[in-house]
Amino acid sequence: MEKYLALCLLLYAIAGCFADDLTYLNEFYSKTPQRLSKYSWFGNVRLHHFRVPEDAVLVRWLLTVSRGSGLNCGNQNITVHFRAGAPPVINPIQTAFPNSTSVSLAHNMTLTVPSGQSVNVTLFNVTHPKPGDWFLAAHLPKDDGKIEQQGLPSCSYLFQAQMFARRAADLPILQYNIPLHQTLTTAPALFKVFVPEFSSRLDVFILHCSVMMGNDCGLSITIGSSTLRQGSEVKQNCSGLENCSASVLIPPWNTWLLVTVESSQPNTTIDFNISANVTVGCKPLSVSSDFNTSTFIRTIIAPQSNSSGALSNASVSTRDQPGLLANSSEPICMRSPSVFREEQDVLSLRFIVSNNNLSVTSDLPTVLALEHSPGDSGGTFVVQLQLNTSSVVGGFARVKACLTPFAPVLHVNHSQTCATGFAQGYSLSVSSNESHVLLRIPFPDAAVWYLSLQTMCNDSVDCRNTSAIVSVSVSISACIDDCGPYGECRLLRTHSYLYGACVCKAGWQGWGCTDGVTAQSYSRQMAAALLLTLSNLFFIPPIVVALHRGYHVEAAIYFFTMFFSSFYHACDQPGVTVMCIMDYDTLQFCDFLGSVVSVWVTIVCMARLQEPIKYLLFMAGTLVISMAMQLDRRGLWNLLGPVLVALVIMVTSWVYRGVKRRQCYPPLWRRWVVFLLPGIVSALIGVCVYVFAQTDSNYYYTHSIWHVMVATSVVFLLPPREKHVPPWGWTNKICSYRRCKNEKVELYTDT
């Protein structure tokens, strides 16, 4: 604890050791430690969500990995992924992503806990971080498939992330075309500038640079903030220049940008003037102040009402409603149809264009604004374009589209790359040969996305009157294609943040459960289902033996276990060979309950107690086991506890009988050699296979061996029939005056 406090004080001292004219404040954020898991799907990661404050100049993450005590564990690697704006897209086990899916893997680092240590403390610094949401995802290496029983000692690891943020409270603001005088000494000079909507260019100028000694100021300009991605900052070296400028083409709209001026000359005082200029290139036409309700109902509400019969919660952006354009002296430079945002469910929404069939021309780009809220970044962004091939006019070649966050690309047909100032976009294209295109982006940035479309022409024809009609479909879903037939889409939560991920089955892997390299064949799935279900038929001999020896209650419990274990495993199959006769959770509860109760009644029956006491223990044990199963179905003590209590009862009863008879109990060596020892060996083999040998790959036959061994042990361990009980437990006369134990029962009494 003292070491931890000293480390925190050291971090604060380091954060406050910089001195310049700005006022800096320190902030501290901490997350609770979480236990790490081996990676097999995204649900195994421990996701931490931080929010970097505005005007932050330094972020320092304190990453702590601690190992639990218990076993002698070797070196262990922990991977931590970082991303700004959305959860990180990762691929630790190198699986294939679904078709038409574009991903950019997040920055990651590896932490190592050596075998001789129990704690790893690592500092990770980000200078000039981008403000807003940051996500950290931590996990252990690939899951080896070993099924670990809860409660047994194992190598466990806890991960905790803490963030120290240093922000400037009075950061100077660059006014457009107004020089600001600045003196640079040791620390970099920091400024911020606002980029309004519809900006096409940002320029930052350094003028009249002077240095006391020498002629070279050695300055450099950096525009933007770090996101740990290439291209998130624009740098310009001004060495040897008195006047210098740095430019950003298509900067992010409605955003404050950080401007950093540094010097390569140490211990030198430098005077300079700095200013900024923003070029507003293209604006859509203004809309009228009167909202055209009839047009809105005709283009948006009516089609939705006819298709679904009800209206959903929705919002609409009235950027360019047809027929509502006001007079404007500016030339028309783009078309911006209205976009209707319909929220259907958690991480499920779609964007509907006012005119779903867009007329895309070659002279002006068509730009759709798709606004994402911070909660939408946990899903998958899906964009589909469908070309109406019969609508092509002129020397049409194709329709090119560019999808970018923060700002649009307004010259699609002239751009060599689909990119803005700080973000690489996604290029799409439809033509007569390929009329449909699909793009999926897992975990998109929480920003306003822009889809720009423009018609491209053949080189040999006039391109002025070329157009085509394109149908646009844009949506956000929790998972890719709902994870397909071999996966299940699950909504996960870290505090209040929700995100979706696919958990795959039957050996399928990948972000959308489409990687079939290790997929199980249908024959293997059928073999696994038959083994796990039919192996429960080995409980038929215990049922017959119990009935023959007069243990009717025990036989009923064995039948209960056989029935629900068979149908639980038929419902628990990972592939297509699935049959569920009732709810999965009910089948699982009954299977687990029947298994433990069968062990409980078998051992209690071996104690040879009087029937009232025996049945009282049966009922009390069943009730307690039911409660324990409801609390923690897979807990080790759910089985171990009843076994130990039953063994204590059995041993106590056997010792009492042995002392009373003055001989070992059971007295016959044949009972020990032929029945008890084989039963104990069978039970031990089953327990060892169940606890130590089960993996995901061999589960279907190791668990079947468990079924066989447990059922076999019951046949050997059930005690022999009581002397006064005939075979099958029925007396010769079950009517009149004789019942059960050949005891006369008076049914009537005359008075």
Side-chain angles (χ1 to χ4, degrees), residues 392-545:
V392 173
V393 176
F396 173 82
R398 60 193 174 102
V399 172
K400 184 179 179 181
C402 183
L403 180 67
T404 54
F406 306 108
V409 174
L410 297 180
H411 301 284
V412 181
N413 57 355
H414 299 106
S415 300
Q416 297 298 322
T417 59
C418 178
T420 59
F422 298 124
Q424 177 62 46
Y426 304 88
S427 182
L428 302 91
S429 177
V430 289
S431 62
S432 300
N433 297 328
E434 188 178 358
S435 60
H436 180 266
V437 66
L438 169 67
L439 173 65
R440 291 180 285 219
I441 306 174
F443 296 160
D445 287 317
V448 179
W449 287 74
Y450 296 90
L451 180 63
S452 305
L453 303 97
Q454 200 163 1
T455 300
M456 304 285 289
C457 303
N458 296 322
D459 296 335
S460 58
V461 298
D462 185 7
C463 199
R464 286 177 294 180
N465 296 319
T466 303
S467 66
I469 294 179
V470 178
S471 176
V472 180
S473 174
V474 184
S475 62
I476 293 178
S477 59
C479 301
I480 296 178
D481 287 342
D482 203 25
C483 302
Y486 292 101
E488 177 185 353
C489 183
R490 294 187 182 179
L491 284 178
L492 308 174
R493 181 177 65 88
T494 172
H495 298 284
S496 60
Y497 183 81
L498 290 174
Y499 56 101
C502 289
V503 54
C504 306
K505 51 190 179 181
W508 290 81
Q509 295 177 318
W511 205 263
C513 300
T514 55
D515 189 342
V517 174
T518 61
Q520 299 177 6
S521 63
Y522 179 80
S523 58
R524 187 183 185 280
Q525 296 179 40
M526 182 61 70
L530 292 177
L531 272 176
L532 288 169
T533 53
L534 297 182
S535 61
N536 286 283
L537 295 180
F538 276 82
F539 273 94
I540 292 179
I543 295 173
V544 173
V545 171

Side-chain angles (χ1 to χ4, degrees), residues 210-413:
S210 63
V211 61
M212 296 182 61
M213 298 180 61
N215 298 323
D216 186 8
C217 296
L219 296 180
S220 63
I221 306 174
T222 302
I223 304 177
S225 302
S226 174
T227 62
L228 301 180
R229 287 185 180 179
Q230 188 176 5
S232 62
E233 297 173 307
V234 172
K235 297 184 179 181
Q236 178 65 46
N237 187 3
C238 301
S239 297
L241 301 176
E242 180 182 356
N243 299 327
C244 181
S245 66
S247 302
V248 179
L249 297 177
I250 317 180
W253 291 356
N254 293 324
T255 304
W256 287 96
L257 292 181
L258 183 68
V259 178
T260 307
V261 179
E262 298 175 283
S263 173
S264 60
Q265 306 290 342
N267 302 322
T268 303
T269 301
I270 303 173
D271 293 326
F272 63 93
N273 294 329
I274 184 170
S275 65
N277 182 46
V278 172
T279 303
V280 178
C282 181
K283 287 185 178 181
L285 294 180
S286 300
V287 298
S288 172
S289 59
D290 297 328
F291 185 76
N292 194 330
T293 307
S294 60
T295 302
F296 176 73
I297 294 177
R298 183 177 64 255
T299 58
I300 300 295
I301 302 298
Q304 297 303 310
S305 302
N306 294 335
S307 61
S308 61
L311 297 179
S312 304
N313 295 330
S315 60
V316 65
S317 171
T318 58
R319 287 175 173 263
D320 184 46
Q321 304 251 0
L324 300 182
L325 299 180
N327 294 329
S328 175
S329 59
E330 298 179 359
I332 300 177
C333 58
M334 68 174 175
R335 297 182 179 89
S336 182
S338 300
V339 176
F340 180 76
R341 174 187 165 106
E342 181 183 16
E343 298 182 1
Q344 299 172 319
D345 205 341
V346 179
L347 285 180
S348 177
L349 61 95
R350 60 176 177 170
F351 298 91
I352 305 172
V353 186
S354 58
N355 186 1
N356 190 37
N357 294 323
L358 295 177
S359 178
V360 182
T361 62
S362 58
D363 55 344
L364 297 176
T366 300
V367 180
L368 304 180
L370 312 168
E371 184 175 357
H372 288 195
S373 64
D376 300 336
S377 61
T380 300
F381 193 23
V382 182
V383 178
Q384 298 186 70
L385 303 180
Q386 179 69 49
L387 173 67
N388 185 349
T389 55
S390 62
S391 65
V392 173
V393 176
F396 173 82
R398 60 193 174 102
V399 172
K400 184 179 179 181
C402 183
L403 180 67
T404 54
F406 306 108
V409 174
L410 297 180
H411 301 284
V412 181
N413 57 355

Side-chain angles (χ1 to χ4, degrees), residues 84-210:
V89 178
I90 63 177
N91 191 17
I93 55 179
Q94 303 302 316
T95 58
F97 283 89
N99 295 330
S100 304
T101 302
S102 181
V103 297
S104 178
L105 299 182
H107 177 83
N108 66 80
M109 63 182 300
T110 300
L111 311 179
T112 302
V113 181
S115 58
Q117 300 180 9
S118 59
V119 178
N120 178 297
V121 179
T122 302
L123 296 177
F124 182 74
N125 297 338
V126 179
T127 305
H128 305 150
K130 179 183 178 181
D133 295 326
W134 280 74
F135 293 86
L136 278 67
H139 61 84
L140 295 175
K142 179 181 177 181
D143 188 3
D144 55 5
K146 178 70 171 64
I147 300 177
E148 296 182 355
Q149 301 301 321
Q150 294 185 11
L152 293 178
S154 61
C155 294
S156 60
Y157 297 87
L158 293 178
F159 175 79
Q160 183 179 24
Q162 297 169 297
M163 185 181 77
F164 299 83
R166 182 173 186 251
R167 66 180 181 89
D170 49 359
L171 206 61
I173 298 176
L174 295 181
Q175 304 292 338
Y176 302 142
N177 299 321
I178 300 178
L180 177 66
H181 181 75
Q182 187 75 15
T183 300
L184 184 65
T185 54
T186 55
L190 303 177
F191 312 90
K192 65 178 180 179
V193 60
F194 183 75
V195 179
E197 195 170 7
F198 311 120
S199 301
S200 60
R201 181 186 178 99
L202 170 67
D203 296 286
V204 176
F205 304 95
I206 289 183
L207 306 172
H208 310 302
C209 172
S210 63

